Amino acid sequence: MTRDPRYDILFEPIRIGPLTARNRFYQVPHCNGMGYRDASALAAMRGMKAEGGWAVVCTEMVEIHHTADVAPYVELRLWSDHDIPMLARIADRIHAHESLAGIELCHSGYTANNSWTREVPFAASPMPTASYFNDPVQARGMDKEDIRNLRRAHRKAALRAREAGFDLIYVYAGHGLGIFQHFLSRATNFRNDEYGGSLENRARLLREVIEDTKEAVGDRCAVPVRIAMHEFQGASGLEPAEVEDAIAMMAELPDLWDLSLSDWSKDSQTSRFSEEGFQEPYIKGVKKLTSKPVVGVGRYTSPDTMVRVIRQGIMDMIGAARPSIADPFLPRKIEEGRLDDIRECIGCNICVTHDFTMTPLRCTQNPSMGEEWRRGWHPEIIRPRHADQHVLVIGAGPAGLEASRALGQRGYRVSLAEKSAEAGGRVSQESRLPGLAAWARVRDWRLLQLRKLSSVTLYLESDMTPALVAEVGADHVLLTTGATWLRDLTGRHNLRPVVHDASLNPLTPDDLMAGRRPASRQVVIFDDDHYYMGGVLAELLVREDHKVTLVTPSSLVSSFTKASLEQKVIQARLLQLGVNIIANHAVTGIAPDHVMLECVFTGEQSPLEAGAIVTVTARRPDDHLWHDLTAHGIAASRAGDCFGPATIAAAVHAGRAFAEDFGQPPRDFLDLPFRREVTALS
């Protein structure tokens, strides 16, 4: 297939300072939960982006000094010469595919607690540090000597980055995480010297560091600036007009402007709350201020939209973090005319959660993400079959679809049986809930790929039994039959089932997704799951004119979504919709006209009037068929929620893992299924 001429502009080379990028695809810096701890895995992941056609591939934030320590988060470090070889490995993997390697040098100012180094944090002005855990630490205000030392440290890091082989060396003033943004913003700069007060003064340090970096490495390297266009703090924080004024002051100084929003939750909004291109209103005025290339992001997955923003002069290069995670080969697929093969980002932010959990990056759409080195997985390539065998996969949810797709790609004959009239399992059900329509892409992409595989056949409305399984006569059987939400209050708080009055029979998410509704308008939702489901169902019922009270043992609604950057906006939306939120309480009993609440701190109990209850607590694997097959002497494997209920991303990964391992000798329980990096002591 050949490229559609409409997209030719995306493949035009562009100058960035002394460099030339081969196309307009720019993987902006993004975190990944691997950093200095998993350097080989990180290097392989960045190299995969380059192989997939991204002309520029950048690191995440890189601490330039031991006073920039953001532990426990696992980013990269460039504290001394000892860090150069590790970083060089990343640059080398990017260069192996003729892409440019970018490095985001960073000092995080008051957002760096220095928990590992135990150094006293410093900031533009004295203030408490900002951290996920609200550490009891304060940053001291910087004096002139500190500012000079910061400039020296940044310059030294730039020289080290050049020695490591990086082509683009960043000055970072974005996301509320860069100290140069802290100086620029009135929200964090209360100084009354030449570095505070007027915009010119507040921009002084940023200008000086750009000049320092250009002087140090600008002969061979490009110097981009990543800057926050909006802080969403009203008049006290940065707003687009003021940032544009700051950019105009130094418009031609850097080699590229990389535009973002602040804080990170604004920059990486989920598809539940924003559309593709949501940042355009904030960044569209910058291009007229400078002749230098402008990069922006907005979860772009449509080539037509990409062309539009370039032709309209909004940006020169298409920046991407999450779309490059979902499909590292997105540029190549556009270039080769394979648009329907693009795995479009669903905007769920499962990738982001693993920076907060300090664990390797993963993706709902792309199960190979983070596994390139650890398991040797490739997003586009999988080894051929070991033998001509037939696999029966039962259950066409996310795990079954991915297992069937990957097995078919390997060349196995696959029969995929689904008892319902629709493939997709929980993905099909959940994507019909408010704000989650983009999640259907998980199902749709895999169904499209299955249609291209002649060795895979999908059978809908096929409720399998041991007799039918035996009749199929497959060489192997895989069960991916999902899980069912419980209605007996079992969850994190109530570890055992709670006996309840049958007259107020609880509904579950499965019931609501199947179309059932509470008989009463007065509904209590008990959310002991703490991810998105409880909040989504509250929104669903309120919009259908129910009066909803959401009870949660957590102090926050959907508390895990702090890690997906959604928690504040979820709780704000529910409050705006009139949902009554009762935090720090659990439902421990159900009576005909009320539920019993228990305070998680004191154990004190109190009744809450209720006409209906929806339990969002835990799920139980639908493994009845597996037990039946075992009883009939038919061996079968399990994967996804029917083996261990978890996220959609985990189910997709489990499907890929089965397909990768199929045909291999059985692995002993004591053997690791992946590689890890271990420090050798000398």
Side-chain angles (χ1 to χ4, degrees):
M1 301 176 71
T2 58
R3 181 174 77 222
D4 189 320
R6 292 178 297 169
Y7 307 132
D8 285 349
I9 194 172
L10 299 175
F11 297 92
E12 293 178 358
I14 186 170
R15 292 288 294 178
I16 308 174
L19 311 170
T20 299
R22 58 187 161 117
N23 61 41
R24 303 302 180 94
F25 293 96
Y26 191 109
Q27 184 247 275
V28 296
H30 70 75
C31 63
N32 50 78
M34 294 186 280
Y36 60 83
R37 184 195 58 213
D38 302 300
S40 294
L42 171 56
M45 181 268 288
R46 299 296 185 199
M48 192 66 72
K49 306 280 195 73
E51 182 183 342
W54 298 87
V56 178
V57 178
C58 300
T59 67
E60 62 269 44
M61 56 189 282
V62 180
E63 302 165 5
I64 65 170
H65 191 258
H66 54 273
T67 58
D69 165 31
V70 297
Y73 301 106
V74 186
E75 311 298 340
L76 284 170
R77 289 174 172 168
L78 193 45
W79 295 357
S80 69
D81 290 350
H82 292 92
D83 296 308
I84 293 175
M86 174 184 64
L87 290 164
R89 180 178 301 181
I90 299 170
D92 289 346
R93 292 295 292 265
I94 296 169
H95 290 154
H97 299 284
E98 300 181 351
S99 294
L100 300 175
I103 184 170
E104 185 177 66
L105 302 182
C106 180
H107 195 295
S108 293
Y110 81 102
T111 65
N113 282 298
N114 295 330
S115 299
W116 194 87
T117 63
R118 303 182 72 170
E119 296 291 324
V120 176
F122 58 68
S125 299
M127 63 184 64
T129 58
S131 72
Y132 190 80
F133 302 103
N134 291 322
D135 300 61
V137 178
Q138 293 195 192
R140 63 181 178 83
M142 295 172 67
D143 59 25
K144 301 292 181 57
E145 183 66 19
D146 293 324
I147 291 174
R148 286 190 289 270
N149 283 334
L150 176 61
R151 290 176 61 184
R152 290 175 55 225
H154 196 280
R155 186 181 190 279
K156 184 64 175 177
L159 291 169
R160 286 174 173 144
R162 184 180 67 180
E163 183 178 345
F166 284 91
D167 308 293
L168 291 86
I169 299 178
Y170 265 81
V171 177
Y172 183 43
H175 300 114
L177 301 173
I179 197 168
F180 307 126
Q181 178 185 341
H182 306 157
F183 269 85
L184 187 62
S185 174
R186 285 168 293 176
T188 45
N189 183 343
F190 320 127
R191 304 175 71 95
N192 55 16
D193 60 6
E194 66 267 35
Y195 290 97
S198 68
L199 177 60
E200 183 177 4
N201 282 354
R202 286 181 280 119
R204 186 182 307 277
L205 181 58
L206 177 57
R207 172 187 283 276
E208 289 174 344
V209 173
I210 297 171
E211 291 172 341
D212 292 343
T213 309
K214 291 279 287 185
E215 186 275 330
V217 300
D219 58 331
R220 286 169 36 195
C221 303
V223 178
V225 171
R226 199 176 200 188
I227 193 167
M229 295 301 300
H230 204 318
E231 289 184 327
F232 300 92
Q233 297 187 39
S236 65
L238 293 173
E239 296 180 301
E242 186 175 41
V243 179
E244 288 180 10
D245 288 342
I247 290 173
M249 292 177 184
M250 40 191 151
E252 303 302 307
L253 194 54
D255 295 308
L256 177 143
W257 291 98
D258 181 348
L259 310 179
S260 63
L261 300 179
S262 182
D263 60 9
W264 190 14
S265 65
K266 297 292 193 298
D267 198 54
S268 294
Q269 297 176 34
T270 63
S271 59
R272 182 175 170 186
F273 298 102
S274 66
E275 300 294 331
E276 179 182 40
F278 65 92
Q279 296 204 15
E280 289 177 32
Y282 308 105
I283 67 176
K284 63 183 180 182
V286 173
K287 188 67 195 116
K288 67 178 183 291
L289 302 174
T290 178
S291 67
K292 299 303 177 71
V294 170
V295 172
V297 297
R299 210 172 61 250
Y300 291 109
T301 60
S302 164
D304 294 302
T305 305
M306 298 175 191
V307 169
R308 176 184 60 79
V309 296
I310 291 177
R311 293 202 181 281
Q312 289 181 351
I314 296 174
M315 60 187 76
D316 299 289
M317 302 186 76
I318 305 301
R322 293 172 292 172
S324 75
I325 294 167
D327 199 334
F329 278 66
L330 184 150
R332 278 185 57 176
K333 290 174 181 177
I334 297 174
E335 186 171 26
E336 295 168 0
R338 298 189 293 122
L339 302 188
D340 58 359
D341 287 335
I342 295 173
R343 280 186 304 272
E344 291 187 271
C345 172
I346 69 170
C348 68
N349 276 10
I350 197 70
C351 52
V352 174
T353 67
H354 289 276
D355 189 59
F356 284 95
T357 59
M358 288 75 80
T359 51
L361 177 68
R362 59 211 64 185
C363 175
T364 302
Q365 275 283 54
N366 176 15
S368 70
M369 180 51 55
E371 303 287 24
E372 299 87 354
W373 179 83
R374 295 199 332 154
R375 298 178 190 259
W377 292 4
H378 192 285
E380 305 301 317
I381 302 170
I382 192 168
R383 70 181 184 281
R385 67 187 185 190
H386 75 292
D388 182 10
Q389 290 193 332
H390 177 202
V391 182
L392 171 62
V393 179
I394 303 174
L401 288 172
E402 175 63 17
S404 299
R405 184 207 63 78
L407 287 167
Q409 185 181 2
R410 290 188 63 189
Y412 292 105
R413 289 178 292 124
V414 180
S415 297
L416 174 57
E418 167 58 44
K419 69 177 181 180
S420 72
E422 178 185 33
R426 62 180 289 195
V427 171
S428 293
Q429 297 166 346
E430 294 182 22
S431 64
R432 297 188 185 103
L433 295 173
L436 304 186
W439 293 21
R441 293 172 175 177
V442 175
R443 173 201 64 205
D444 295 344
W445 183 81
R446 285 164 177 81
L447 287 175
L448 179 60
Q449 300 306 308
L450 291 183
R451 286 195 287 270
K452 297 180 180 183
L453 295 168
S454 60
S455 63
V456 180
T457 305
L458 171 62
Y459 299 93
L460 298 175
E461 300 181 289
S462 299
D463 192 1
M464 302 302 289
T465 64
L468 289 174
V469 170
E471 184 179 327
V472 171
D475 297 294
H476 196 90
V477 179
L478 171 66
L479 269 67
T480 54
T481 45
T484 300
W485 286 94
L486 301 177
R487 64 180 79 247
D488 59 10
L489 300 182
T490 302
R492 288 177 169 83
H493 187 86
N494 301 306
L495 298 179
R496 293 180 178 274
V498 174
V499 178
H500 58 80
D501 190 294
S503 63
L504 196 64
N505 191 38
L507 297 178
T508 69
D510 291 324
D511 294 323
L512 297 187
M513 289 186 288
R516 292 185 60 192
R517 291 295 181 267
S520 169
R521 287 188 61 250
Q522 191 171 6
V523 182
V524 171
I525 294 178
F526 177 42
D527 183 7
D528 199 19
D529 174 61
H530 308 291
Y531 197 13
Y532 55 86
M533 185 60 74
V536 168
L537 294 182
E539 181 177 346
L540 172 73
L541 292 176
V542 167
R543 294 188 184 281
E544 294 181 355
D545 204 31
H546 289 82
K547 184 178 180 181
V548 176
T549 295
L550 190 149
V551 178
T552 176
S554 176
S555 60
L556 299 170
V557 168
S558 303
S559 56
F560 181 74
T561 62
K562 286 184 70 176
S564 59
L565 305 176
E566 301 172 278
Q567 196 284 322
K568 286 185 179 180
V569 69
I570 289 172
Q571 188 144 346
R573 174 169 288 184
L574 296 186
L575 290 171
Q576 291 161 359
L577 289 172
V579 174
N580 179 34
I581 296 170
I582 301 178
N584 302 315
H585 284 76
V587 174
T588 57
I590 303 175
D593 59 355
H594 68 276
V595 297
M596 289 301 300
L597 304 186
E598 180 180 273
C599 175
V600 299
F601 299 115
T602 67
E604 181 179 347
Q605 296 199 343
S606 58
L608 175 66
E609 184 179 352
I613 182 169
V614 177
T615 59
V616 187
T617 54
R619 291 177 291 152
R620 180 167 294 141
D622 287 335
D623 56 3
H624 312 292
L625 179 57
W626 182 80
H627 288 290
D628 289 346
L629 291 174
T630 301
H632 283 78
I634 301 174
S637 302
R638 292 171 290 171
D641 288 342
C642 82
F643 189 58
T647 62
I648 296 173
V652 173
H653 184 274
R656 175 68 181 263
F658 175 85
E660 288 275 358
D661 293 343
F662 185 67
Q664 297 286 93
R667 183 175 54 248
D668 188 274
F669 179 74
L670 299 182
D671 294 336
L672 283 175
F674 49 78
R675 293 193 291 177
R676 64 190 181 109
E677 213 142 23
V678 179
T679 302
L681 302 179
S682 58

